[in-house]
Amino acid sequence: GQQLNQSPQSMFIQEGEDVSMNCTSSSIFNTWLWYKQDPGEGPVLLIALYKAGELTSNGRLTAQFGITRKDSFLNISASIPSDVGIYFCAGQLRSGTYKYIFGTGTRLKVLA
Amino acid sequence: GAVVSQHPSRVICKSGTSVKIECRSLDFQATTMFWYRQFPKQSLMLMATSNEGSKATYEQGVEKDKFLINHASLTLSTLTVTSAHPEDSSFYICSARHPGQNSYEQYFGPGTRLTVT
């Protein structure tokens, strides 16, 4: 099935550092969702983006809906050990269907 | 709010048997639920969209006779893996579309690990 390209694929960072990851596609999306998944668990919704150019924050997390509507970015500031996990972006291709395509995931590991 | 549960969390079954997985929205009504499959270290792949009171919509390549979906109420969708085989072993996760203002948001259950021996 179709997937979104997410980068980086994985990253090791030191505690306290800021993290950036992005999701890109050749297709235009109407909505972007960002999720975090811990091992053996279901994904947890972090941030939802609805308009091109929109910048939304949730605590230390900030996400942006790319102006071209083909990409989205997630930033985590001052990372802490519990930020460890896999982060997925999800894009809604067509309005009204409510179906999302998921990114390939970014595996984050934080070194204390 | 927006809590989704799944049962069972883990199941081991023998090849050829059928397994039913339940997905429930606990504090909201969901007219639409989704079933995903996830292989180790991979992303989520949408299998089907489950609509309350109507037939499910399956993604290309997903056998509807093998993965039976029933969405009999606004809070419950079930996925039955029929005549399971080892290649059906996977992590199955459901999500529910939250109604109302933020109706484009989906909330996931904790997943069901299926192992077919």
Side-chain angles (χ1 to χ4, degrees):
Chain A
Q2 190 173 357
Q3 285 189 332
L4 294 169
N5 296 317
Q6 218 172 313
S7 66
Q9 187 175 24
S10 64
M11 54 196 313
F12 287 81
I13 60 167
Q14 293 285 340
E15 183 178 359
E17 287 184 351
D18 296 343
V19 175
S20 291
M21 61 189 77
N22 66 70
C23 208
T24 60
S25 174
S26 57
S27 302
I28 290 175
F29 291 91
N30 292 305
T31 304
W32 288 95
L33 304 178
W34 282 93
Y35 289 90
K36 176 177 182 277
Q37 185 179 30
D38 292 327
E41 303 285 334
V44 174
L45 181 63
L46 300 174
I47 292 179
L49 301 163
Y50 298 102
K51 298 179 191 176
E54 179 182 353
L55 187 71
T56 298
S57 293
N58 178 8
R60 294 179 296 106
L61 278 62
T62 302
Q64 184 163 24
F65 194 142
I67 198 73
T68 64
R69 295 172 60 194
K70 295 181 179 181
D71 54 12
S72 181
F73 306 86
L74 177 69
N75 296 315
I76 305 173
S77 63
S79 58
I80 59 178
S82 62
D83 290 334
V84 164
I86 304 175
Y87 292 80
F88 290 104
C89 62
Q92 182 202 26
L93 263 177
R94 295 188 300 277
S95 62
T97 67
Y98 305 109
K99 288 181 6 178
Y100 284 85
I101 297 170
F102 276 75
T104 47
T106 294
R107 188 178 298 269
L108 178 64
K109 296 191 179 183
V110 180
L111 306 173
Chain B
V3 180
V4 178
S5 70
Q6 266 182 256
H7 178 81
S9 58
R10 291 177 177 272
V11 57
I12 301 173
C13 70
K14 292 187 177 180
S15 188
T17 61
S18 296
V19 174
K20 181 186 283 188
I21 303 171
E22 294 184 347
C23 178
R24 294 181 185 273
S25 55
L26 298 185
D27 53 359
F28 65 100
Q29 293 184 329
T31 55
T32 308
M33 292 183 173
F34 303 87
W35 287 96
Y36 294 83
R37 185 173 180 175
Q38 186 177 33
F39 290 106
K41 298 189 177 181
Q42 292 192 24
S43 185
L44 288 78
M45 300 301 294
L46 179 64
M47 298 174 65
T49 302
S50 172
N51 301 297
E52 188 268 334
S54 65
K55 291 184 179 179
T57 305
Y58 290 82
E59 293 301 299
Q60 192 173 8
V62 178
E63 298 177 57
K64 63 179 181 180
D65 294 331
K66 179 161 187 66
F67 299 100
L68 300 178
I69 292 172
N70 185 278
H71 195 154
S73 78
L74 287 170
T75 58
L76 174 64
S77 175
T78 60
L79 168 69
T80 301
V81 183
T82 63
S83 187
H85 288 97
E87 57 265 30
D88 297 325
S89 298
S90 190
F91 193 52
Y92 292 87
I93 321 176
C94 71
S95 72
R97 181 175 71 86
H98 196 284
Q101 184 178 351
N102 297 321
S103 64
Y104 291 102
E105 296 175 7
Q106 288 186 27
Y107 293 87
F108 282 86
T112 296
R113 171 85 49 200
L114 170 63
T115 303
V116 185
T117 60

